[in-house]
Amino acid sequence: MATQTQKQSSSTIMARSLDTDVQFARGVGPRLAGTLGKLDIFTVRDLIYHFPRRHEDRTRFARIASLRHGESATIFGTILTADNVKTRGSLVLTKVAVDDGTGVMELTWFNQKFRKDQFLKLKGRRIVAYGAVAAGRWGVEIASPEWELYSEDADPLSSGRVVPVYPLTEGLFQSQVRKAIKGALDTYVPLAQEILPEDVRNRLDLMDIGDALRNIHFPESQAALDAARKRLVFEELFLLQLALALRKRGMEMPGCGISFQMPEGFSDELKMVLPFELTGAQKRVIKEIAADMGRPTCMNRLLQGDVGSGKTAVALAAMLIAVRNGYQAALMAPTEILAEQHYLGITRMLENLGVLEVSVDLLKGSLRSKQRQLVIERIKSSQTKIAIGTHALIQEGVDFHKLGLVIVDEQHRFGVLQRAALMEKGLSPDILVMTATPIPRTLTLTIYGDLDVSIIDELPPGRKSIRTHWKQTGERKKVYQALRTLIDQGRQAYVVCPLVEESDKLQARAATELAEFLQTQMFPDYRIGLLHGQMKTDEKDDVMKAFRAGEIQILVATTVIEVGVDVPNATCMVIEDADRFGLAQLHQLRGRVGRGDQQSFCVMICEGNSEDSMRRMQVMSSTNDGFTIAEEDLKLRGPGEFYGTRQSGMAGLKIADIFRDIPILELARKEAFALIERDPDLGHPSLKALRADLLKKYDELQLAVVS
Ligand code: ADP
Ligand code: MG
């Protein structure tokens, strides 16, 4: 059917293009164009790429008599009557009765009084309604349905066929959009350029672009719809993966990297330094990193390992390789507490080297200016081999003599974003980004798709899984009694105070009050410590020192302890108002315990008033596995909440669903990376349209395509 119209209009399409202003599309005009603008539809291309949310088969409707609670259904019937009913809590409920010959049901709306008059005027008209069916008191109902009046003669695009249902905006109707899109398809689809390379299309059996665009809107069959969707999803993900492949390649430009050699006797030296045997996973990951460092291109690697999996040892190994090759290494942490702890841990381990000494320096904000100057001088003259600090380390006028490796702890995209800044300074060190927030596969393939990934998927031996309990606020006293038992046995504990989002000041006050309460009311015989973001660095250091030394039994803290803090004797954590925290954050917090060989506990206190918070409590109580938690987190929050989403270009995905479409995502990735391998500039004449589209869409990713 589409081919016919295609022929008809082919004589008039000469001056047109997909970039034509949408108001000039058949049957649109300035007024409708204005409304479409609210949906970011400005050109004919935008209109054609405004994909349906779903399709409705209007050749077969569900029968009201056989509707079942819980299913989603489209019904078709006659409007009988409408009425408003007051509910408890003074809400107004509009009920509209619809009859389809097999039975009568209600469509309902909350607090939209005007619906009554609207539907009374439509009495006797026929309506199509879609939504989730629920068992009401007198039969089935659909609350807040999507609906349209139905008239076969007036609107053949909306009746007697499989009909697309579009995202709308105020003042816009399904029938208008259908008509506008159908018109645009007929006239403009012949102008759509095929951008997918022919060999890729053949290999994967992908529909051509014209058929795909027609069938995604007005499918000839379910199979054609599936094929159209697959093709368009593939195209979107293929472009994204090309962008990532190009960016990766841009960062890897030969000549920018250092070819580190494996130092002689490296594994012996590592054994000397580390107080434990490496796990198999640690060994494997160190090998991957060493191989990557050995290549003459810049390393851009993401090291993932659940909390407590031993990433510090891996970082140390990488730094030793750099140092033994005559380079300096920098280790950057997100907080001073963490930088300090890395400094303590790493100097302690490196002391085992004796005369083979490697000098380590900590650059922190609280250093007096004279001392600070001294450290900066040492870094500049290369006396410092390993420099540890916060991100300020490579940001504020610190010059390295010979920086070969940068390790970024617990800051996902930071390393990548920092690459540009480093290159501007003429530096091109290898970069290793470490994260304890396991990243679901969907995201390693997209947001992090330009990085190589190493995963530590094994915990050091002897770890007992943390026992996690969810308790109601009324049980708080009992929780603290249990805590006492553990402390009497010599253990230490964290109490995490409720999250106050408004300000750091209020957060600090909440922590202070909680600490006072525990000290005076619950544990007068113990020493309670306090740690929050408003304290001076020195004060924080003192508290952490005392806690590590076991002089403080209970540390009341805000989320400043979220990442990295490592005190193995602390085996218990109480999280107050736990439902204020997200899953990833709870998992990170809990990761502060379970770091030694003692059984550890985590108690989350909250009511769990919403379904969402209950779900989080259940997930936390049922698993210690960071990957499972990350997947759940992603499901609960949606990918938009993960930062870095914009830079990754994921905001531009219109049809692909990165959860559902993982298989296509993997295919697209394989094909895209292979293509860039073969033709790094996409210079082949047959790729001209592809290249143009890519540049248009992913300009913001600063592709390294030579133009
Ligand atoms: P994370 O991956 O969370 O940064 P850390 O590097 O802080 O983990 O290590 C967590 C704890 O496990 C530390 O106390 C560390 O000394 C210990 N550890 C790391 N690797 C091993 C190992 N292979 N065997 C035993 N203990 C280990
Ligand atoms: Mg760590």
Side-chain angles (χ1 to χ4, degrees), residues 308 311-312 338 341-342 409-410 434 436 563-564 592 595:
K311 291 183 292 294
T312 315
L338 203 49
Q341 182 182 282
H342 275 319
D409 195 13
E410 315 280 8
M434 305 199 290
V563 285
R592 298 313 109 217
R595 308 195 133 240

Side-chain angles (χ1 to χ4, degrees), residues 246-398:
L246 284 170
R247 194 161 73 162
K248 181 162 189 283
R249 201 173 172 93
M251 292 191 295
E252 280 171 354
M253 290 297 226
C256 109
I258 306 158
S259 207
F260 292 99
Q261 302 302 305
M262 205 55 168
E264 216 164 292
F266 177 68
S267 60
D268 289 338
E269 181 157 57
L270 207 52
K271 273 199 190 116
M272 212 156 110
V273 168
L274 298 175
F276 42 70
E277 272 285 309
L278 288 170
T279 62
Q282 281 170 319
K283 281 187 199 152
R284 172 175 48 75
V285 162
I286 291 173
K287 261 198 201 128
E288 288 167 9
I289 292 170
D292 208 355
M293 289 177 73
R295 279 191 277 275
T297 50
C298 288
M299 171 167 81
N300 287 292
R301 187 166 284 271
L302 179 69
L303 172 61
Q304 292 188 54
D306 211 342
V307 278
S309 61
K311 291 183 292 294
T312 315
V314 174
L316 182 60
M319 291 194 290
L320 265 179
I321 296 177
V323 171
R324 293 304 183 214
N325 275 268
Y327 285 86
Q328 292 169 287
L331 173 58
M332 302 193 296
T335 65
E336 295 227 334
I337 294 179
L338 203 49
E340 173 100 41
Q341 182 182 282
H342 275 319
Y343 175 73
L344 290 175
I346 283 170
T347 34
R348 199 185 308 132
M349 289 193 266
L350 287 176
E351 269 161 17
N352 299 329
L353 282 175
V355 290
L356 299 170
E357 176 192 359
V358 171
S359 59
V360 186
D361 274 301
L362 175 67
L363 190 69
K364 54 177 184 175
S366 60
L367 286 183
R368 297 252 162 73
S369 65
K370 212 168 161 193
Q371 250 182 320
R372 186 182 162 80
Q373 211 44 51
L374 218 70
V375 175
I376 289 180
E377 282 303 320
R378 284 170 56 80
I379 294 176
K380 204 169 172 179
S381 66
S382 210
Q383 271 169 284
T384 303
K385 295 303 177 202
I386 293 179
I388 299 178
T390 61
H391 299 140
L393 200 53
I394 58 165
Q395 284 170 332
E396 298 162 6
V398 183

Side-chain angles (χ1 to χ4, degrees), residues 345-614:
I346 283 170
T347 34
R348 199 185 308 132
M349 289 193 266
L350 287 176
E351 269 161 17
N352 299 329
L353 282 175
V355 290
L356 299 170
E357 176 192 359
V358 171
S359 59
V360 186
D361 274 301
L362 175 67
L363 190 69
K364 54 177 184 175
S366 60
L367 286 183
R368 297 252 162 73
S369 65
K370 212 168 161 193
Q371 250 182 320
R372 186 182 162 80
Q373 211 44 51
L374 218 70
V375 175
I376 289 180
E377 282 303 320
R378 284 170 56 80
I379 294 176
K380 204 169 172 179
S381 66
S382 210
Q383 271 169 284
T384 303
K385 295 303 177 202
I386 293 179
I388 299 178
T390 61
H391 299 140
L393 200 53
I394 58 165
Q395 284 170 332
E396 298 162 6
V398 183
D399 284 326
F400 283 81
H401 177 67
K402 213 177 166 193
L403 182 61
L405 173 69
V406 171
I407 300 186
V408 188
D409 195 13
E410 315 280 8
Q411 270 290 354
H412 307 187
R413 281 222 71 88
F414 182 82
V416 186
L417 299 177
Q418 216 47 39
R419 163 71 71 200
L422 284 168
M423 278 171 126
E424 257 163 41
K425 284 193 190 177
L427 296 168
S428 49
D430 280 2
I431 293 185
L432 179 68
V433 181
M434 305 199 290
T435 170
T437 311
I439 301 168
R441 176 136 185 84
T442 41
L443 298 188
T444 26
L445 290 174
T446 51
I447 293 184
Y448 302 96
D450 50 355
L451 301 181
D452 292 305
V453 177
S454 287
I455 299 179
I456 310 181
D457 51 6
E458 181 186 350
L459 292 179
R463 291 282 169 78
K464 296 193 176 69
S465 74
I466 303 161
R467 283 194 204 142
T468 302
H469 303 283
W470 169 24
K471 297 286 177 197
Q472 305 285 312
T473 39
E475 298 169 281
R476 183 177 281 121
K477 270 234 164 74
K478 268 197 232 152
V479 171
Y480 283 122
Q481 271 157 17
L483 199 60
R484 172 172 287 278
T485 316
L486 286 166
I487 296 172
D488 285 343
Q489 289 166 8
R491 305 280 88 77
Q492 290 164 280
Y494 299 97
V495 176
V496 179
C497 80
L499 193 64
V500 185
E501 280 174 15
E502 295 80 45
S503 83
D504 285 352
K505 247 199 193 122
L506 288 177
Q507 177 79 73
R509 194 161 83 198
T512 311
E513 279 166 9
L514 181 59
E516 264 167 27
F517 166 78
L518 291 177
Q519 183 74 80
T520 54
Q521 309 296 312
M522 303 297 305
F523 301 101
D525 47 334
Y526 286 136
R527 203 170 148 206
I528 312 275
L530 175 64
L531 198 68
H532 61 67
Q534 297 263 297
M535 286 162 60
K536 298 221 179 70
T537 312
D538 287 355
E539 295 172 331
K540 284 191 236 170
D541 285 352
D542 289 345
V543 172
M544 276 317 291
K545 238 176 247 162
F547 191 59
R548 270 190 210 109
E551 292 155 15
I552 288 174
Q553 286 78 38
I554 299 176
L555 184 61
V556 175
T558 61
T559 49
V560 292
I561 58 153
E562 187 178 344
V563 285
V565 173
D566 184 33
V567 180
N569 191 50
T571 59
C572 189
M573 171 170 285
V574 178
I575 305 176
E576 292 279 353
D577 278 2
D579 54 357
R580 298 259 187 114
F581 299 95
L583 268 180
Q585 208 168 15
L586 286 170
H587 181 62
Q588 284 298 314
L589 284 168
R590 179 172 61 179
R592 298 313 109 217
V593 298
R595 308 195 133 240
D597 44 18
Q598 296 284 332
Q599 178 62 55
S600 285
F601 301 90
C602 174
V603 185
M604 305 176 296
I605 300 183
C606 69
E607 301 296 349
N609 284 327
S610 74
E611 206 167 296
D612 184 79
S613 60
M614 253 165 68

